[in-house]
Structures are given as C-alpha cells and as structure tokens.
Amino acid sequence: MAVDLLLGLQWGDEGKGKIVDVLTKNYDIIARFQGGPNAGHTLEFDGIKHVLHTIPSGIFHDNAINIVGNGVVIDPVIFKKELDNLKKFNLDIKSKLFISRKAHLILPTHRLLDAASEAAKGKAKIGSTLKGIGPTYMDKTGRNGMRVGDLELDNWQDKYRALANKHEGMIDYYDVDLQYDLKDLEAEFYKGVEELKKLDFIDSEEYLFQEQRKGKKILAEGAQGSLLDIDFGTYPYVTSSNTTAAGACTGLGVAPNQIGKVFGIFKAYATRVGSGPFPTELFDEDGETMGRVGNEFGATTGRPRRCGWLDIVALKYAVQINGVTDLMMMKGDVLSGFKTLKICTAYNYKGKEITHLPFNIEPENVTPIYTEVKGWDEDLTQMSSNGQLPETLNAYINFLEKELEVPIKIVSVGPDRTQTIHR
Ligand code: IMP
C-alpha cells in the first residue's frame, strides 16, 4: 500500500487543510512532514471555522490517527494553545495524535533569534512569520537542536539551558532593540512541554513502516508551498524546510518507492504573503477584488496576502518537481464576476520568451506574458456537481489541464467541506 502525498504548489495558503479534511475519510493515518506553526491550515465544517498550525488536518475524523513527523518543528507553547482550542470538540486526542521523537523543538530563544535576524535585515527582511522556524532548522542542520525525544531524558532542562544560553549570546550579537523577558517566555515553554509530554512520543518512521505493512492507508500532509521550498523556492524568500515531495521522504522516513499519488493543490489565482518576487502580482482593482472576495489574510499572522493572476510557468515547475499525479483547484468561486481572466503562460526573461522558471524571477528580469480567457459570472458556491460548472470555467480547467498535463480531480467552490466538486 503506497503513501499518498498532499502539498501546495504555490506560495502556501492554497487550501491544503480543507482538502486533507475532505480526503481523511479515505485514510487511516494523516502525517505532517515538515514546517511548523508558521502554517495555518483552515478547516470549515458544520458552521465552525478552525485553524490548525502543527496538528495534522485529519484530527477531526474518528477513523484517522494523526502523526507529527520528524521533519516538523514544534513550539510547545503554540502546541498547547492548539490543544486547548481543540478541547471544545471533545476529541480523544491522546489516542489519535502521536509525536515523532525526532521532531525538533522550537525554543523561546529561537523565536527571539528570528525577530532579531529579521530586524537586522531591515528592508531585505524575508517577511518571516517570526515563529522561530529558520533558527530551529538552523540548529537542526547545525547539529545543535533539541528534539522531542530529549524530553524523555532526566537532564533535558540542562540541555535546554545550554542551548538557550548560547542563543542569548547570538541575540546580543545582532545588536537590535529587542525587548523581552526570558523568564516569562520560559515559564510558558515549560508549561507547553508538560502538555506535550502527556501525548505519546513514538519512533514515527517505524510506526509508519509497520502500519503500511499491515495495509493501512497513509496521507502525508505538507505545509507552505513549493515556491517556498528551501532548495527550489524563490530563495532567500522561502521557508527553511523542503516543502516539495522529497520532503515527505525525509520528513517521515518513507522511502521514495513507497510514494503513490501526489496531490498538488493550487488556487485558481495566486497569492503570496511576506517578501519576495511574485511576477504576476496585481497592484490594481483586480488584485484588490481577489483579496477582498477571497478573504486573503494570513491564517497565522493576519497579514494581507498579495494577489495576482495564475502563473502557469511557476505551476508547471512545481508539478514537475513534485511529480504531481492529481491536481486540485481551489477558490474558483473567488473569480466569479471577472469578465476576462489572465493566465501567465510564459515569461519575457531579459528580452527572451521562456516557459521555465529561471534562477532569478525578480521584476527587473521577468515580465509575465499572458493569455486572456473569458471569465464566469455564476455564483459557484452552491454548486455540488461537475455538470453544474459554467462553460467558461470548464474551458479554464481544460486549458490548465492541457498546459500542465495532469488532470484536475477536485474543484473547490467555497471553504466548507461540502463545497467540493469531484471530477
Ligand atoms: P518563516 O517560515 O516563518 O520563516 O517565513 C518565511 C516565508 O514563508 C515568509 O515569506 C512567510 O510569509 C512565508 N510562509 C511561511 N509559512 C507560510 C504559510 O504557511 N503560508 C504562507 N506563507 C508562509
């Protein structure tokens, strides 16, 4: 039985949480493979809207076990808040949620280092969510990090102290005005650790291997998007993990030959939050409409998202790197009412027309070349079957399928679980 993957193909916020929630009925295990509380996975059902940051999006289903994999970074403070917010749902969390011993911990000083690093960068800042993601992954690859399994040791607090002391020296080095009371932050951290320790820590790679052998169906859930991948994204304006398909292998310990379907999620337009190049970004009324109708505000930080037309050049690149087998198009409903839609099908790169993503997509090098297609007026949000979709939306979908050479299997027409059309 293969492990299926689900990941975002743009700059994050594609709607992965909703689709994992929709697909969970078909799986026994949902496993997050990278990222941390920089993610905000929004789920809507029964009139409730819920945002998850670290906990996998299958948590609301009785049939599924949820795993936080080794590739994830966990902030015990935020994790505790997530658990507190789930209390009202009366879920049996202890028997449904397991944590990899090899996942790394975000310390309060990692968050401070993130803030200090961004402040020191000035105008060149990444636009980080300031959740400590970069510094935690730096400690992981620098072989200094603290892992969940360390919390099972009697002397874990010594290890914590040594690392936090080192971080304090590094914060001083940045020489920026950062006000903080480490005692308060540490008290919160210790409380979070106590909550985390109530859950079962597991050797998740072994668990997944054995469950897979028993025939259990596993879905690996990604966070952020392919264009934020540390290797293949718009570096340095990226996150610090591999958000692409290979990240599921390293982030869960799943062998490449065990990967089955790769579900690629994208919006019918494009958004980006934080700094960095975005060739099809709009600064006009159309962009403003997408933001307003699409409610484009970060689920983690509340920041307004930058909006623009769909970029097929970037999307093709993401489909290729991830080996996407099934596409899922989100938020087609947001485009209702646009007379004409633009799709970027090539770039003018330093005077030449190209159809692949070059090393540098800064605006001085790249101008998008657009194909214009007819829009649709119909309200899609009440539609429930493929046959109801307007002709011009079908033409839009067919155009994308032809360009991307992968079928679009789901068209989402609203945030609720039920507003999902299978094709
Ligand atoms: P960091 O991962 O918090 O350091 O942020 C690095 C960049 O990735 C910033 O531009 C963030 O806005 C962006 N980013 C991080 N996580 C997400 C996400 O879940 N959705 C969208 N953008 C994100």
Side-chain angles (χ1 to χ4, degrees):
M1 192 67 76
V3 176
D4 295 336
L5 307 186
L6 183 142
L7 31 82
L9 300 180
Q10 294 158 313
W11 281 285
D13 308 315
E14 296 91 355
K16 296 174 290 293
K18 167 181 165 162
I19 297 297
V20 173
D21 177 54
V22 166
L23 296 181
T24 299
K25 60 178 187 310
N26 307 328
Y27 291 91
D28 303 300
I29 299 171
I30 309 296
R32 254 289 288 276
F33 62 84
Q34 47 69 231
N38 48 349
H41 290 176
T42 308
L43 285 68
E44 283 192 46
F45 54 91
D46 302 338
I48 299 163
K49 180 173 169 169
H50 194 83
V51 182
L52 295 164
H53 299 287
T54 325
I55 295 175
S57 304
I59 197 72
F60 291 103
H61 294 260
D62 291 336
N63 61 302
I65 295 292
N66 291 262
I67 308 282
V68 178
N70 57 280
V72 177
V73 290
I74 302 174
D75 183 336
V77 178
I78 297 178
F79 202 81
K80 178 179 179 313
K81 283 187 194 146
E82 280 191 75
L83 291 173
D84 289 346
N85 288 337
L86 284 176
K87 279 192 178 137
K88 59 178 176 285
F89 295 102
N90 281 324
L91 305 169
D92 182 7
I93 297 284
K94 172 91 178 155
S95 66
K96 286 166 58 95
L97 177 62
F98 303 137
I99 316 291
S100 168
R101 288 198 173 91
K102 294 193 175 81
H104 278 246
L105 291 169
I106 302 177
L107 274 44
T109 41
H110 281 131
R111 268 184 275 134
L112 295 171
L113 277 171
D114 213 357
S117 159
E118 282 285 78
K121 283 194 163 123
K123 274 198 184 142
K125 72 175 184 180
I126 308 288
S128 161
T129 60
L130 302 179
K131 303 293 177 197
I133 306 296
T136 306
Y137 279 114
M138 279 166 71
D139 269 340
K140 174 178 176 172
T141 51
R143 298 162 295 180
N144 298 309
M146 257 191 88
R147 299 189 289 177
V148 166
D150 291 329
L151 299 175
E152 293 173 321
L153 306 174
D154 291 337
N155 68 343
W156 74 264
Q157 296 198 5
D158 298 340
K159 193 161 183 176
Y160 165 77
R161 187 75 278 138
L163 192 52
N165 286 347
K166 182 173 158 189
H167 290 161
E168 277 195 284
M170 291 162 72
I171 293 164
D172 289 345
Y173 161 82
Y174 278 109
D175 195 23
V176 292
D177 183 23
L178 203 62
Q179 307 288 333
Y180 63 91
D181 180 343
L182 193 53
K183 283 255 165 326
D184 280 358
L185 296 174
E186 280 180 348
E188 252 192 327
F189 178 74
Y190 284 123
K191 269 193 208 155
V193 166
E194 285 320 305
E195 273 313 292
L196 191 61
K197 284 172 82 173
K198 290 181 188 164
L199 297 178
D200 289 339
F201 301 161
I202 61 167
D203 298 329
S204 52
E205 62 286 4
E206 176 64 12
Y207 176 87
L208 290 172
F209 181 72
Q210 294 302 346
E211 292 302 293
Q212 197 197 346
R213 267 168 53 137
K214 287 183 213 157
K216 295 285 169 66
K217 293 190 73 184
I218 302 169
L219 179 67
E221 176 183 13
Q224 290 84 46
S226 300
L227 301 173
L228 290 172
D229 182 276
I230 183 72
D231 283 283
F232 297 106
T234 48
Y235 192 91
Y237 301 101
V238 292
T239 191
S240 297
S241 60
N242 281 114
T243 58
T244 43
C249 296
T250 56
L252 292 174
V254 171
N257 65 353
Q258 298 303 305
I259 304 296
K261 287 195 171 299
V262 180
F263 303 124
I265 317 292
F266 70 101
K267 275 184 206 173
Y269 50 100
T271 64
R272 168 161 213 172
V273 61
S275 326
F278 179 5
T280 60
E281 183 169 12
L282 290 167
F283 301 95
D284 59 7
E285 220 173 278
D286 286 339
E288 194 270 325
T289 305
M290 288 171 190
R292 181 172 34 79
V293 180
N295 193 24
E296 295 294 354
F297 295 92
T300 296
T301 59
R303 292 179 292 178
R305 297 179 185 138
R306 301 152 64 191
C307 297
W309 297 117
L310 189 64
D311 183 342
I312 291 274
V313 180
L315 208 49
K316 248 187 203 164
Y317 170 80
V319 165
Q320 182 183 319
I321 280 171
N322 290 305
V324 172
T325 59
D326 299 52
L327 285 163
M328 302 185 174
M329 188 176 89
M330 313 301 288
K331 289 193 148 182
D333 52 298
V334 173
L335 295 184
S336 290
F338 281 89
K339 286 246 162 321
T340 309
L341 300 169
K342 290 187 182 177
I343 305 172
C344 167
T345 44
Y347 292 156
N348 183 329
Y349 178 70
K350 299 180 176 173
K352 261 206 206 138
E353 188 171 319
I354 60 166
T355 53
H356 72 276
L357 207 76
F359 178 72
N360 187 334
I361 59 164
E362 292 292 343
E364 59 272 22
N365 294 318
V366 160
T367 319
I369 299 171
Y370 289 110
T371 297
E372 294 198 4
V373 296
K374 268 196 189 150
W376 50 91
D377 258 337
E378 293 83 346
D379 173 10
L380 309 182
T381 59
Q382 306 304 317
M383 295 184 181
S384 53
S385 72
N386 196 25
Q388 292 173 297
L389 297 180
E391 213 175 290
T392 45
L393 172 55
N394 277 323
Y396 191 77
I397 291 170
N398 292 340
F399 183 88
L400 300 184
E401 286 184 328
K402 206 163 159 231
E403 288 280 326
L404 299 168
E405 299 177 56
V406 180
I408 297 179
K409 292 285 184 66
I410 283 182
V411 177
S412 171
V413 291
D416 195 89
R417 232 183 226 173
T418 56
Q419 293 170 300
T420 310
I421 295 176
H422 297 264
R423 301 176 75 243

PDB file of all heavy atoms in Angstrom, residues 3 34 86 97 114 122 143 159 161 216 231 244 252 265 320-321 333:
ATOM      1  N   VAL A   3       2.072   5.314   0.059  1.00  0.00           N
ATOM      2  CA  VAL A   3       1.792   6.522   0.860  1.00  0.00           C
ATOM      3  C   VAL A   3       1.488   7.649  -0.123  1.00  0.00           C
ATOM      4  O   VAL A   3       2.286   7.928  -1.020  1.00  0.00           O
ATOM      5  CB  VAL A   3       3.031   6.897   1.711  1.00  0.00           C
ATOM      6  CG1 VAL A   3       2.798   8.202   2.465  1.00  0.00           C
ATOM      7  CG2 VAL A   3       3.389   5.765   2.671  1.00  0.00           C
ATOM      8  N   GLN A  34       6.627  18.393   7.420  1.00  0.00           N
ATOM      9  CA  GLN A  34       7.600  19.492   7.564  1.00  0.00           C
ATOM     10  C   GLN A  34       6.912  20.751   8.057  1.00  0.00           C
ATOM     11  O   GLN A  34       5.694  20.790   8.241  1.00  0.00           O
ATOM     12  CB  GLN A  34       8.376  19.768   6.268  1.00  0.00           C
ATOM     13  CG  GLN A  34       7.577  19.861   4.991  1.00  0.00           C
ATOM     14  CD  GLN A  34       6.653  21.056   4.810  1.00  0.00           C
ATOM     15  OE1 GLN A  34       5.466  20.872   4.482  1.00  0.00           O
ATOM     16  NE2 GLN A  34       7.141  22.251   5.016  1.00  0.00           N
ATOM     17  N   LEU A  86      -8.752  22.760  20.933  1.00  0.00           N
ATOM     18  CA  LEU A  86      -9.463  21.558  20.469  1.00  0.00           C
ATOM     19  C   LEU A  86     -10.353  20.962  21.554  1.00  0.00           C
ATOM     20  O   LEU A  86     -11.176  20.097  21.282  1.00  0.00           O
ATOM     21  CB  LEU A  86      -8.455  20.494  20.002  1.00  0.00           C
ATOM     22  CG  LEU A  86      -7.801  20.726  18.634  1.00  0.00           C
ATOM     23  CD1 LEU A  86      -6.759  19.654  18.358  1.00  0.00           C
ATOM     24  CD2 LEU A  86      -8.839  20.728  17.512  1.00  0.00           C
ATOM     25  N   LEU A  97      -3.355  11.153  18.329  1.00  0.00           N
ATOM     26  CA  LEU A  97      -2.273  12.053  17.911  1.00  0.00           C
ATOM     27  C   LEU A  97      -0.947  11.604  18.530  1.00  0.00           C
ATOM     28  O   LEU A  97      -0.810  11.568  19.760  1.00  0.00           O
ATOM     29  CB  LEU A  97      -2.610  13.481  18.385  1.00  0.00           C
ATOM     30  CG  LEU A  97      -1.580  14.575  18.107  1.00  0.00           C
ATOM     31  CD1 LEU A  97      -1.357  14.747  16.604  1.00  0.00           C
ATOM     32  CD2 LEU A  97      -2.033  15.910  18.707  1.00  0.00           C
ATOM     33  N   ASP A 114      14.738  34.730  15.534  1.00  0.00           N
ATOM     34  CA  ASP A 114      14.020  35.012  14.284  1.00  0.00           C
ATOM     35  C   ASP A 114      13.740  36.518  14.203  1.00  0.00           C
ATOM     36  O   ASP A 114      14.008  37.172  13.177  1.00  0.00           O
ATOM     37  CB  ASP A 114      12.698  34.237  14.291  1.00  0.00           C
ATOM     38  CG  ASP A 114      12.251  33.785  12.909  1.00  0.00           C
ATOM     39  OD1 ASP A 114      12.927  34.122  11.934  1.00  0.00           O
ATOM     40  OD2 ASP A 114      11.216  33.087  12.824  1.00  0.00           O
ATOM     41  N   GLY A 122      16.572  44.605   8.009  1.00  0.00           N
ATOM     42  CA  GLY A 122      15.943  45.847   7.539  1.00  0.00           C
ATOM     43  C   GLY A 122      15.066  45.589   6.344  1.00  0.00           C
ATOM     44  O   GLY A 122      14.234  44.680   6.358  1.00  0.00           O
ATOM     45  N   ARG A 143      23.349  20.690  13.924  1.00  0.00           N
ATOM     46  CA  ARG A 143      23.510  19.584  14.880  1.00  0.00           C
ATOM     47  C   ARG A 143      23.581  20.050  16.320  1.00  0.00           C
ATOM     48  O   ARG A 143      24.313  19.504  17.141  1.00  0.00           O
ATOM     49  CB  ARG A 143      24.726  18.733  14.483  1.00  0.00           C
ATOM     50  CG  ARG A 143      24.538  18.111  13.124  1.00  0.00           C
ATOM     51  CD  ARG A 143      25.799  17.655  12.513  1.00  0.00           C
ATOM     52  NE  ARG A 143      26.698  18.761  12.229  1.00  0.00           N
ATOM     53  CZ  ARG A 143      27.895  18.636  11.673  1.00  0.00           C
ATOM     54  NH1 ARG A 143      28.338  17.443  11.366  1.00  0.00           N
ATOM     55  NH2 ARG A 143      28.641  19.680  11.432  1.00  0.00           N
ATOM     56  N   LYS A 159      20.105  20.514  28.947  1.00  0.00           N
ATOM     57  CA  LYS A 159      20.312  20.662  27.506  1.00  0.00           C
ATOM     58  C   LYS A 159      19.629  21.953  27.021  1.00  0.00           C
ATOM     59  O   LYS A 159      20.194  22.717  26.232  1.00  0.00           O
ATOM     60  CB  LYS A 159      19.724  19.432  26.801  1.00  0.00           C
ATOM     61  CG  LYS A 159      20.135  19.331  25.389  1.00  0.00           C
ATOM     62  CD  LYS A 159      19.969  17.952  24.801  1.00  0.00           C
ATOM     63  CE  LYS A 159      20.501  18.029  23.379  1.00  0.00           C
ATOM     64  NZ  LYS A 159      20.533  16.811  22.664  1.00  0.00           N
ATOM     65  N   ARG A 161      18.952  24.618  28.825  1.00  0.00           N
ATOM     66  CA  ARG A 161      19.659  25.794  29.361  1.00  0.00           C
ATOM     67  C   ARG A 161      20.891  26.123  28.509  1.00  0.00           C
ATOM     68  O   ARG A 161      21.126  27.267  28.137  1.00  0.00           O
ATOM     69  CB  ARG A 161      20.057  25.475  30.815  1.00  0.00           C
ATOM     70  CG  ARG A 161      20.643  26.516  31.670  1.00  0.00           C
ATOM     71  CD  ARG A 161      19.676  27.570  32.214  1.00  0.00           C
ATOM     72  NE  ARG A 161      19.394  28.619  31.261  1.00  0.00           N
ATOM     73  CZ  ARG A 161      18.208  29.138  31.038  1.00  0.00           C
ATOM     74  NH1 ARG A 161      17.152  28.731  31.696  1.00  0.00           N
ATOM     75  NH2 ARG A 161      18.048  30.096  30.167  1.00  0.00           N
ATOM     76  N   LYS A 216      -2.430  -0.313   6.034  1.00  0.00           N
ATOM     77  CA  LYS A 216      -3.075   0.950   6.389  1.00  0.00           C
ATOM     78  C   LYS A 216      -2.768   2.016   5.333  1.00  0.00           C
ATOM     79  O   LYS A 216      -1.669   2.051   4.769  1.00  0.00           O
ATOM     80  CB  LYS A 216      -2.587   1.429   7.764  1.00  0.00           C
ATOM     81  CG  LYS A 216      -2.994   0.517   8.904  1.00  0.00           C
ATOM     82  CD  LYS A 216      -4.470   0.699   9.233  1.00  0.00           C
ATOM     83  CE  LYS A 216      -5.010  -0.362  10.173  1.00  0.00           C
ATOM     84  NZ  LYS A 216      -4.446  -0.334  11.491  1.00  0.00           N
ATOM     85  N   ASP A 231      15.156  24.649  -1.199  1.00  0.00           N
ATOM     86  CA  ASP A 231      16.018  24.446  -2.373  1.00  0.00           C
ATOM     87  C   ASP A 231      15.415  25.010  -3.645  1.00  0.00           C
ATOM     88  O   ASP A 231      16.117  25.610  -4.449  1.00  0.00           O
ATOM     89  CB  ASP A 231      16.265  22.936  -2.584  1.00  0.00           C
ATOM     90  CG  ASP A 231      17.287  22.403  -1.599  1.00  0.00           C
ATOM     91  OD1 ASP A 231      18.479  22.653  -1.823  1.00  0.00           O
ATOM     92  OD2 ASP A 231      16.892  21.769  -0.602  1.00  0.00           O
ATOM     93  N   THR A 244       8.553  20.380  -0.824  1.00  0.00           N
ATOM     94  CA  THR A 244       8.240  19.583  -2.017  1.00  0.00           C
ATOM     95  C   THR A 244       8.201  18.084  -1.659  1.00  0.00           C
ATOM     96  O   THR A 244       8.516  17.693  -0.535  1.00  0.00           O
ATOM     97  CB  THR A 244       9.277  19.862  -3.120  1.00  0.00           C
ATOM     98  OG1 THR A 244      10.576  19.898  -2.519  1.00  0.00           O
ATOM     99  CG2 THR A 244       9.027  21.197  -3.789  1.00  0.00           C
ATOM    100  N   LEU A 252       9.334  11.991   7.058  1.00  0.00           N
ATOM    101  CA  LEU A 252       8.552  10.903   7.681  1.00  0.00           C
ATOM    102  C   LEU A 252       9.326   9.583   7.699  1.00  0.00           C
ATOM    103  O   LEU A 252       8.926   8.629   8.356  1.00  0.00           O
ATOM    104  CB  LEU A 252       7.235  10.672   6.914  1.00  0.00           C
ATOM    105  CG  LEU A 252       6.192  11.782   6.995  1.00  0.00           C
ATOM    106  CD1 LEU A 252       5.017  11.486   6.073  1.00  0.00           C
ATOM    107  CD2 LEU A 252       5.689  11.969   8.420  1.00  0.00           C
ATOM    108  N   ILE A 265      -2.105  20.956  -4.769  1.00  0.00           N
ATOM    109  CA  ILE A 265      -3.192  21.906  -4.532  1.00  0.00           C
ATOM    110  C   ILE A 265      -2.780  23.288  -5.029  1.00  0.00           C
ATOM    111  O   ILE A 265      -1.673  23.745  -4.721  1.00  0.00           O
ATOM    112  CB  ILE A 265      -3.490  22.027  -3.011  1.00  0.00           C
ATOM    113  CG1 ILE A 265      -3.481  20.656  -2.323  1.00  0.00           C
ATOM    114  CG2 ILE A 265      -4.798  22.752  -2.741  1.00  0.00           C
ATOM    115  CD1 ILE A 265      -4.580  19.752  -2.697  1.00  0.00           C
ATOM    116  N   GLN A 320       6.257  19.531 -11.930  1.00  0.00           N
ATOM    117  CA  GLN A 320       7.403  18.732 -12.367  1.00  0.00           C
ATOM    118  C   GLN A 320       8.249  18.270 -11.170  1.00  0.00           C
ATOM    119  O   GLN A 320       8.555  17.084 -11.038  1.00  0.00           O
ATOM    120  CB  GLN A 320       8.212  19.653 -13.277  1.00  0.00           C
ATOM    121  CG  GLN A 320       9.423  19.099 -13.925  1.00  0.00           C
ATOM    122  CD  GLN A 320      10.100  20.229 -14.730  1.00  0.00           C
ATOM    123  OE1 GLN A 320       9.423  21.029 -15.393  1.00  0.00           O
ATOM    124  NE2 GLN A 320      11.397  20.312 -14.649  1.00  0.00           N
ATOM    125  N   ILE A 321       8.585  19.191 -10.283  1.00  0.00           N
ATOM    126  CA  ILE A 321       9.461  18.850  -9.153  1.00  0.00           C
ATOM    127  C   ILE A 321       8.792  17.875  -8.186  1.00  0.00           C
ATOM    128  O   ILE A 321       9.442  17.020  -7.598  1.00  0.00           O
ATOM    129  CB  ILE A 321       9.898  20.147  -8.434  1.00  0.00           C
ATOM    130  CG1 ILE A 321      11.025  20.762  -9.236  1.00  0.00           C
ATOM    131  CG2 ILE A 321      10.350  19.894  -7.000  1.00  0.00           C
ATOM    132  CD1 ILE A 321      11.411  22.116  -8.794  1.00  0.00           C
ATOM    133  N   ASP A 333     -14.465  30.001  -7.075  1.00  0.00           N
ATOM    134  CA  ASP A 333     -15.606  30.871  -6.759  1.00  0.00           C
ATOM    135  C   ASP A 333     -15.191  32.331  -6.598  1.00  0.00           C
ATOM    136  O   ASP A 333     -15.971  33.239  -6.889  1.00  0.00           O
ATOM    137  CB  ASP A 333     -16.288  30.393  -5.472  1.00  0.00           C
ATOM    138  CG  ASP A 333     -15.312  30.226  -4.315  1.00  0.00           C
ATOM    139  OD1 ASP A 333     -14.399  29.392  -4.446  1.00  0.00           O
ATOM    140  OD2 ASP A 333     -15.450  30.943  -3.308  1.00  0.00           O
TER     141      ASP A 333
END
